[in-house]
Amino acid sequence: MRVATWNINSVTVRIDRLLGWLERSGTDVLCLQELKCEPAAFPTERLREAGYEAAVHAGGRWNGVAVLSRVGLDEVVRGLPGGPEYDGVAEPRSVAASCGGVRVWSVYVPNGREVGHPHFTYKLGWLGALREAVAEDAAGARPFAVLGDFNVAPEDVDVWDRSVFEGSTHVTGEERAALAELRAAGLSDVLPRPLKYERAFTYWDYRQLGFPKNRGMRIDLVYANEPFTKLVTDAYADREERKGKGASDHAPVVVDLDL
DNA sequence: ATGACTTGGTTACCAAGA
């Protein structure tokens, strides 16, 4: 079974790329983030024609997440139970589903904007609530993983130049401590192998030739419990999908399971 | 030059992303 996660940065703009990538990669279960569409605008029918069911949690101009599956889709949970609101809004940043013997969460962790900003506090609170929400599944016997855009680079080697990020979000001790808490709940980082260079990045800024210069970050993560990690036969970041006109600024992260 | 893309919405500009 092939499972993947991809921050697609507008499913509306990239539906043709999405369908092409699903067919080329042969992905069975895909966690999507940043749909940037209303639920009614989600391309349910085109995905169904391609053989995929979808669990969608979306709304408004930002955020929006989904789980696509061609191996069954059950036990859908929309939203983060006990999760914090921002500006009085419970944003659509997580959706969970069980697909072909694996349970997955598709998450889009808040960006945080600046250290000390209310959005940064929101980010830390959101990660704390995520830990509580997944604790039972993480400790369970069923293969389980949280996949998505975590907006945190777990280690200094997960950014192209640590000095550039001094004082910025995504690399702070507080954010990394929140990830450590998540791992302490029974999850571990499924590290993708690079297809080029020494480290696999998953995001490159659109600006200033970020991708050609490989000024990237690894912030799209797969946090899996032991029953899940035992099944992993391969994992990689598909940087090919970051190439060319009309690419998302994130590349898909792919995990193969012996299942 | 406190910005260099890209997106969707309050559109012939803005916020947000990371």
Side-chain angles (χ1 to χ4, degrees):
Chain A
M1 179 185 292
R2 177 160 279 181
V3 180
T5 181
W6 189 14
N7 179 322
I8 196 167
N9 186 19
S10 173
V11 73
T12 310
V13 166
R14 254 169 287 288
I15 178 60
D16 290 335
R17 263 198 184 248
L18 171 60
L19 291 166
W21 187 80
L22 283 169
E23 184 171 2
R24 279 199 313 284
S25 66
T27 296
D28 297 298
V29 179
L30 176 61
C31 296
L32 286 171
Q33 301 87 35
E34 281 212 83
L35 301 178
K36 291 185 172 177
C37 70
E38 295 295 335
F42 187 83
T44 305
E45 195 50 43
R46 291 193 64 184
L47 286 162
R48 184 181 295 145
E49 288 166 7
Y52 294 86
E53 297 174 85
V56 179
H57 189 39
R61 60 191 293 200
W62 309 112
N63 313 310
V65 287
V67 176
L68 310 183
S69 174
R70 62 178 188 184
V71 291
L73 189 67
D74 301 295
E75 301 176 279
V76 173
V77 175
R78 291 177 180 81
L80 179 60
E85 297 183 342
Y86 190 73
D87 269 354
V89 179
E91 298 175 316
R93 291 179 175 275
S94 78
V95 61
S98 300
C99 311
V102 174
R103 182 149 182 83
V104 296
W105 277 59
S106 176
V107 301
Y108 179 45
V109 177
N111 170 287
R113 299 188 188 161
E114 291 171 27
V115 177
H117 191 282
H119 209 263
F120 188 77
T121 308
Y122 170 53
K123 179 181 195 173
L124 296 176
W126 202 93
L127 282 166
L130 178 63
R131 180 196 183 283
E132 296 297 317
V134 303
E136 192 176 331
D137 278 334
R142 174 165 57 168
F144 170 77
V146 184
L147 306 93
D149 179 354
F150 283 67
N151 269 318
V152 182
E155 298 176 38
D156 284 351
V157 290
D158 293 314
V159 295
W160 61 279
D161 182 350
R162 177 62 180 81
S163 68
V164 169
F165 292 85
E166 199 55 48
S168 298
T169 59
H170 294 62
V171 298
T172 67
E174 286 170 287
E175 291 162 287
R176 287 174 174 171
L179 284 192
E181 287 285 303
L182 206 49
R183 292 192 298 271
L187 302 174
S188 60
D189 191 343
V190 178
L191 192 67
R193 72 180 157 84
L195 299 185
K196 191 178 179 182
Y197 307 114
E198 289 189 5
R199 298 282 294 193
F201 293 144
T202 68
Y203 163 85
W204 299 260
D205 198 299
Y206 283 126
R207 294 167 289 190
Q208 296 199 268
L209 303 174
F211 182 66
K213 293 181 176 175
N214 198 35
R215 294 176 173 174
M217 307 169 74
R218 187 175 73 92
I219 54 176
D220 299 272
L221 311 175
V222 178
Y223 267 33
N225 72 356
E226 196 179 349
F228 187 104
T229 55
K230 277 181 173 171
L231 298 172
V232 174
T233 57
D234 192 16
Y236 62 93
D238 189 359
R239 68 187 299 284
E240 293 300 309
E241 184 54 42
R242 180 61 178 78
K243 293 180 178 178
K245 201 170 176 62
S248 168
D249 42 3
H250 294 252
V253 176
V254 179
V255 178
D256 286 331
L257 302 175
D258 183 18
L259 192 68

